[in-house]
Amino acid sequence: EGLFHAFVTSGLVSLRDFCRFVRDRRLLDNCITLPIVHEVFKDVAGDLRTALNKDKFFAAISVLTTFAVQLFDYPSDYILERILKQEEEQVEFEGARLQDAHFDILATVDAVKTMSRYHEALQEGFLAYTVDLPLNERHALRWRDAEDHNLTILARNMLRFCRASSLMPHMISVESFVHVLLAVSAPRSPEEKEFYDSNILVQDYEEQLNTDNMQVRSEEH
């Protein structure tokens, strides 16, 4: 009951609310993606514009659980464990409302359609920058490996990927990049909060720029 009311808007759970729920309980991973969350919501609601009542909200959680178990061999109690665990992990941080505003844009129907359209290229970029395997072993990776082993990418490597892809600084600033990270993965521990508060990603970006500029000047001489 409390879980439903924590994410309800005007008595019902909208697609936006359900996406926030999946994010806040840290259910998003290499297997449970936003396109899959949209698919589950549509399956239960009938379409993406119809909000869920309490019974359908819990039905959607059940469908998501079944999806994870049958397609990705997750333990049957995985979803419930994640939900209960995240109920205990709450850290107040500055910019929480801004986080929701950024995430709501990422979770819109149009944004998710764009992610789906370019998912293969995005997957290749992820695999190229994952730190869970040595560089000389990454060429043999397939996305199924990322799903099976829940491979991860460091925020710093994601920053490097954005630079290498010319997304930064031409399309987004490093400050906007940090806002996007907060939108997807808000701090859930004092250590994570300290990571964001330290502004270390902006510092790392500036160090990368200084190194590149020094290299260019060196080559010119």
Side-chain angles (χ1 to χ4, degrees):
E1 187 81 21
L3 184 65
F4 172 74
H5 288 293
F7 293 92
V8 69
T9 300
S10 301
L12 298 170
V13 172
S14 65
L15 174 63
R16 182 200 66 182
D17 300 329
F18 190 67
C19 288
R20 285 188 184 182
F21 157 74
V22 173
R23 176 205 61 186
D24 289 353
R25 295 306 181 259
R26 292 213 169 175
L27 298 173
L28 290 174
D29 58 17
N30 295 338
C31 300
I32 302 176
T33 62
L34 279 174
I36 285 178
V37 173
H38 277 220
E39 183 178 333
V40 167
F41 186 93
K42 184 177 181 180
D43 183 56
V44 175
D47 64 71
L48 295 174
R49 295 180 298 274
T50 300
L52 306 175
N53 59 24
K54 183 173 64 177
D55 290 339
K56 288 191 174 182
F57 171 68
F58 289 113
I61 295 176
S62 178
V63 171
L64 190 63
T65 301
T66 302
F67 204 96
V69 171
Q70 293 182 351
L71 287 188
F72 303 114
D73 298 323
Y74 279 35
S76 58
D77 55 354
Y78 172 81
I79 301 294
L80 181 59
E81 285 186 353
R82 295 294 292 176
I83 291 172
L84 295 178
K85 181 180 180 182
Q86 295 308 317
E87 280 287 345
E88 301 171 358
E89 298 179 2
Q90 298 293 328
V91 175
E92 295 295 328
F93 68 98
E94 186 177 353
R97 290 187 177 181
L98 185 63
Q99 174 213 23
D100 285 339
H102 281 81
F103 181 77
D104 291 345
I105 294 173
L106 295 174
T108 61
V109 174
D110 288 342
V112 170
K113 284 182 179 178
T114 301
M115 292 179 207
S116 299
R117 191 178 308 126
Y118 295 101
H119 75 282
E120 290 185 2
L122 293 171
Q123 288 172 352
E124 290 176 2
F126 177 93
L127 293 176
Y129 284 85
T130 182
V131 295
D132 290 310
L133 287 175
L135 183 61
N136 62 348
E137 295 182 22
R138 295 178 198 170
H139 69 280
L141 282 176
R142 298 294 181 267
W143 188 250
R144 186 67 191 186
D145 298 315
E147 295 175 342
D148 291 343
H149 303 291
N150 198 29
L151 299 181
T152 59
I153 182 171
L154 288 176
R156 285 175 171 175
N157 280 19
M158 185 66 184
L159 181 67
R160 291 180 173 89
F161 167 72
C162 289
R163 288 196 63 211
S165 303
S166 297
L167 294 175
M168 187 183 299
H170 306 293
M171 298 181 69
I172 61 171
S173 65
V174 63
E175 291 80 12
S176 295
F177 172 79
V178 174
H179 290 158
V180 170
L181 284 185
L182 274 169
V184 176
S185 183
R188 295 293 178 182
S189 69
E191 292 77 17
E192 291 183 7
K193 184 177 184 297
E194 182 180 354
F195 171 80
Y196 283 113
D197 289 344
S198 67
N199 218 25
I200 194 170
L201 287 174
V202 176
Q203 295 173 20
D204 189 66
Y205 174 75
E206 291 174 349
E207 289 175 3
Q208 290 180 38
L209 284 181
N210 290 334
T211 300
D212 291 347
N213 291 334
M214 290 176 62
Q215 183 175 353
V216 169
R217 285 196 295 269
S218 176
E219 292 174 352
E220 289 176 347
H221 292 86

